[in-house]
Amino acid sequence: MRPRTWVLVLAAVFALLQLADVTGRDTPDSKNYVSYALTLAGAGQREAAARTVDWVCAGKASAAERARRVDVLRFHTPSPAGRVFAACRAGELGRVERRLRARGAQTDGHVVPFVAPRLRRIFEVRPGYPVFLVPFVTAFGVTWGVWLASVLVAGAGGVLAFLVLRTVSVPVPLALTGQGLYYVLPVGTTAMRPMAEGLMLALTLTALWGCALVLTGRVKAGAASAAGALLALFAVKHSQALFLGACLAGAAAVVALWRRRRHARSPGGGRSPGGGRSPGRGVAAIAVVGCGAVAGTLLLARLLRYPSEAESVQDLLTGHYTHPDRAHPWREFLHLEFDFWVEWLRRQLTEPLFPALLAAGAWGARRRPAFGVFLLAAAGTGILTQGAHPDITVFGDRMIVLAWLLPVVGVPLLLEPLVRRPVPVPVQGPARAVGVTR
């Protein structure tokens, strides 16, 4: 089969496997995103609340029924699904109704008041994912619309991983390996959850693909891809646009400095046997795009009065504003930051799969030095995101999920010598075996 056929087959297999769990993937954030999409589609606050709650509670009821079937003490008891659904629906809608009826009712904006106003504001400034959901929930309803949107964005992430690897001339089998790694590692699991992370991953890979295009000589197409991805990221989650823009600009500066030094050392200032060359306009284009993303994000966030960094820190330290604001938030934040990474590292040492894959991906990135710097920069945004939210209780390590892009792309690069290694093939007659590259 042609490579494109294998890509579609892998994506189709991944999609079919996701039928194992159509509901029950929601997180506490999912209610805000889905209700946002429903109000954008024309639903009122109460209608959006009811449809969102029905979807969430159906997932909880389904999970309760599955748990009952394999419970060694309760597998023969009646199904709890109906009771769980009714209790969940009454509790969720009751809280929303109280907020809607309270003095100064929370009817402004698009997000249904499942949470306090200050927390709602954080989700109001992330319209990208709800806008993406609108056609799906309109055409297929909430349950199947959210599932289909998640499958498409997660599947697209794997395809983008394939395209990135092929752009830097990785053989097709290893590019397909990268696509498969995207699906089977926690990246695919997180991308399937109805939150902004799936789009963030896909757009970050789009920006990385743009960097790969630039480095292979297609400067205009690559710069346009990176710029478009960063612009879309502002709508999805503007902090990621800020982090990625800064990291890509820093990576471009590193590559330019490295190339300039090697160019200066090469005889006659041309391309040296070791590969030294001038920085070139492609790297400069990436630097301009990255710096523009940083400046544009900071300016637009201020003009649109987005919640500040201090507000985000208060959200973290007060348990989503369930406790009074801290008097010295930054001092406490730095204290928590240090303790978080100590505990995080301790946990990684007990189950070192993630650090091992990060190391393997970083070692593989050395095979494409310039591209490897941009890969490290894109994956590094996961570390920055986690550092901005040092909460050890976040389910599934979703804050650091972007760091998994390093093994997704880097491990196929690490395996490349195995595919390109000459294989001795015996020949007839007195001639010796010759090497044939697979």
Side-chain angles (χ1 to χ4, degrees), residues 113 117 124 177 191 196 223 225 239 269 274 282 289 295 297 308 319 321 326 330 345 349 382 403 406:
E124 289 281 357
T177 300
S225 296
S239 61
V289 168
T297 298
S308 64
Y321 307 111
R326 301 299 180 95
W330 289 107
L345 288 170
L349 292 176
L406 182 55

Side-chain angles (χ1 to χ4, degrees), residues 11-35:
V13 170
F14 172 77
L16 289 174
L17 293 176
Q18 304 317 304
L19 288 170
D21 201 1
V22 176
T23 60
R25 299 177 190 263
D26 61 285
T27 70
D29 292 353
S30 300
K31 292 183 294 186
N32 301 297
Y33 288 120
V34 173
S35 66

